Amino acid sequence: MKCDNKGVFEKQNVFGMGEANTTYAKYFIGESFLNPLTDPQSDLFAANVTFEPGCRNNWHIHHSTKGGGQLLLCTAGEGWYQEEGKSAVGLKAGSVVMIPPNVKHWHGAKKDSWFSHIAIEVLGENCDNEWYEPVTDEEYNKL
């Protein structure tokens, strides 16, 4: 369900917004928030990522030589996911996205809705994230 009201959204966002995502802010257009759900140093890292309306991350790839990728469990609001060369897919609470390793993609909120997903880094070998160019306003506004 779309939600442009921050107070209402925070009640729907059961895993909490956490803190401003300053560490990765350079890879986002707009403001995002990060609430780690597991120890970042553990083998399996999961975090609730919240995007303000219109916020999205840059194109990026979760590299891996074996296994790897990322799992998104959408929990509140509405957003987008897009793989390079494919149409964007709308996301809402309950949507599940399995992002294969070595696939260029981006994800974020719709223009008129806050959005949260739990991001789980899939275990693999030689895993590394590579960040690319931002999703332009022209690309994004076509959605």
Side-chain angles (χ1 to χ4, degrees), residues 27-81:
Y27 304 120
F28 285 74
I29 292 177
E31 193 166 3
S32 66
F33 302 85
L34 188 64
N35 187 18
L37 302 176
T38 62
D39 181 347
Q41 303 306 314
S42 70
D43 287 339
L44 184 63
F45 181 61
N48 191 46
V49 184
T50 298
F51 303 78
E52 71 177 350
C55 177
R56 66 264 189 196
N57 53 32
N58 291 4
W59 289 97
H60 60 284
I61 295 176
H62 303 281
H63 292 290
S64 179
T65 56
K66 182 177 179 184
Q70 188 178 52
L71 175 65
L72 304 181
L73 305 173
C74 305
T75 59
E78 290 193 14
W80 294 109
Y81 168 76

Side-chain angles (χ1 to χ4, degrees), residues 52-123:
E52 71 177 350
C55 177
R56 66 264 189 196
N57 53 32
N58 291 4
W59 289 97
H60 60 284
I61 295 176
H62 303 281
H63 292 290
S64 179
T65 56
K66 182 177 179 184
Q70 188 178 52
L71 175 65
L72 304 181
L73 305 173
C74 305
T75 59
E78 290 193 14
W80 294 109
Y81 168 76
Q82 185 175 18
E83 293 181 5
E84 186 176 48
K86 296 183 179 180
S87 298
V89 176
L91 304 174
K92 60 183 181 181
S95 296
V96 176
V97 179
M98 183 63 224
I99 303 169
N102 308 310
V103 171
K104 191 174 180 180
H105 67 282
W106 68 271
H107 35 104
K110 289 191 173 180
K111 290 180 240 183
D112 56 355
S113 183
W114 285 83
F115 177 61
S116 281
H117 62 55
I118 296 172
I120 301 168
E121 297 297 323
V122 177
L123 297 175

